[in-house]
């Protein structure tokens, strides 16, 4: 029996702007703000520009668009604004890490989400961390989970880049507290 619903659905051609007919940025943002998301800190290090000065620059970014992609092999995905510092860095540097933030780490999320912020070096200054053994990227102490990754694939998607990474290490260093979530434009605690 033919599917008459599909046959009678109106075909709406995509507009030249890339937006669906009748959907504004504000409407889309409001609708998606109703989807609760976990909050992570994505970190990587920028290799030194000068071989004489071996000091690396650590970079961090708060993300709410982070998810598991595959169990075998273990893959995760993070969405980065195209042209952001982290997007540019992960285009050159394939090693990065993720710290799944706990509800008590809201200050870390807010710090690394600021626009026009001070240098990342100063932002990391009073945050307890360890350097990952597989990537050298910073892992936040007290995070609910930490993962170290190597980029497998980059996919351009509108104004973002989807970075798919193979998980090299996964650890659950803290079972204390609940996750930090983001809902309706604010950081929240579960429950």
């Amino acid at each position: 029996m033919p599917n008459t619903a599909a046959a009678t659905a109106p075909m709406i051609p995509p507009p030249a702007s890339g937006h669906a007919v009748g959907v504004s940025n504000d409407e889309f943002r409001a609708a998606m703000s109703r989807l609760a998301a976990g909050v992570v800190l994505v970190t990587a290090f920028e290799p030194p520009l000068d071989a004489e000065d071996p000091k690396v620059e650590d970079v961090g970014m708060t993300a709410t668009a982070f998810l598991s992609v595959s169990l075998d092999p273990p893959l995760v995905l993070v969405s980065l604004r195209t042209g952001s510092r982290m997007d540019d860095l992960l285009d050159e540097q394939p090693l990065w890490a993720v710290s799944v933030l706990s509800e008590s780490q809201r200050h870390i999320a807010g710090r690394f989400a600021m626009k026009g912020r001070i240098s990342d070096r100063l932002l990391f200054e009073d945050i307890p961390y360890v350097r990952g053994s597989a990537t050298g990227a910073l892992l936040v102490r007290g995070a609910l989970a930490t993962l170290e990754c190597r980029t497998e694939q980059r996919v351009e998607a509108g104004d973002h880049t989807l970075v798919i990474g193979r998980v090299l290490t996964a650890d659950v260093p803290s079972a204390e507290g609940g996750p930090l979530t983001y809902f309706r434009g604010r950081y929240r605690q579960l429950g």
Side-chain angles (χ1 to χ4, degrees):
M1 177 184 266
N3 184 346
T4 56
T8 59
M11 296 299 291
I12 301 173
S17 70
H19 280 279
V21 175
V23 177
S24 71
N25 285 353
D26 290 340
E27 290 168 328
F28 181 67
R29 189 175 289 118
M32 295 310 297
S33 76
R34 285 1 184 230
L35 177 65
V39 182
V40 301
L41 182 67
V42 179
T43 55
F45 68 86
E46 200 163 29
L49 295 174
D50 184 0
E52 308 260 332
D53 181 12
K55 191 166 82 175
V56 300
E57 181 76 20
D58 294 301
V59 178
M61 182 200 88
T62 302
T64 57
F66 175 77
L67 58 104
S68 167
V69 173
S70 169
L71 183 60
D72 187 18
L75 299 174
V76 293
L77 176 148
V78 65
S79 179
L80 307 173
R81 186 176 39 80
T82 302
S84 66
R85 183 171 184 199
M86 188 62 75
D87 179 42
D88 291 343
L89 177 56
L90 294 189
D91 192 29
E92 297 175 13
Q93 159 65 285
L95 299 174
W96 46 284
V98 173
S99 297
V100 178
L101 299 179
S102 72
E103 59 195 4
S104 67
Q105 295 174 317
R106 177 187 298 213
H107 65 288
I108 296 172
R111 183 181 291 189
F112 286 92
M114 290 186 303
K115 292 187 179 10
R117 62 188 193 223
I118 58 176
S119 80
D120 285 11
R121 181 176 17 84
L122 295 175
L123 296 178
F124 281 114
E125 208 166 70
D126 64 344
I127 296 173
Y129 62 81
V130 296
R131 206 167 276 285
S133 61
T135 63
L138 302 185
L139 301 169
V140 177
R141 287 193 187 275
L144 295 179
T146 59
L147 302 116
E148 292 184 86
C149 307
R150 181 181 60 240
T151 300
E152 292 276 312
Q153 185 177 1
R154 293 172 53 87
V155 179
E156 291 181 26
D159 60 1
H160 276 64
T161 303
L162 307 178
V163 179
I164 299 170
R166 180 179 296 256
V167 177
L168 305 173
T169 69
D171 193 25
V172 183
S174 176
E176 297 300 313
L180 180 61
T181 60
Y182 194 72
F183 180 69
R184 296 185 75 174
R186 292 182 36 210
Y187 296 116
R188 314 262 181 159
Q189 294 177 317
L190 196 60

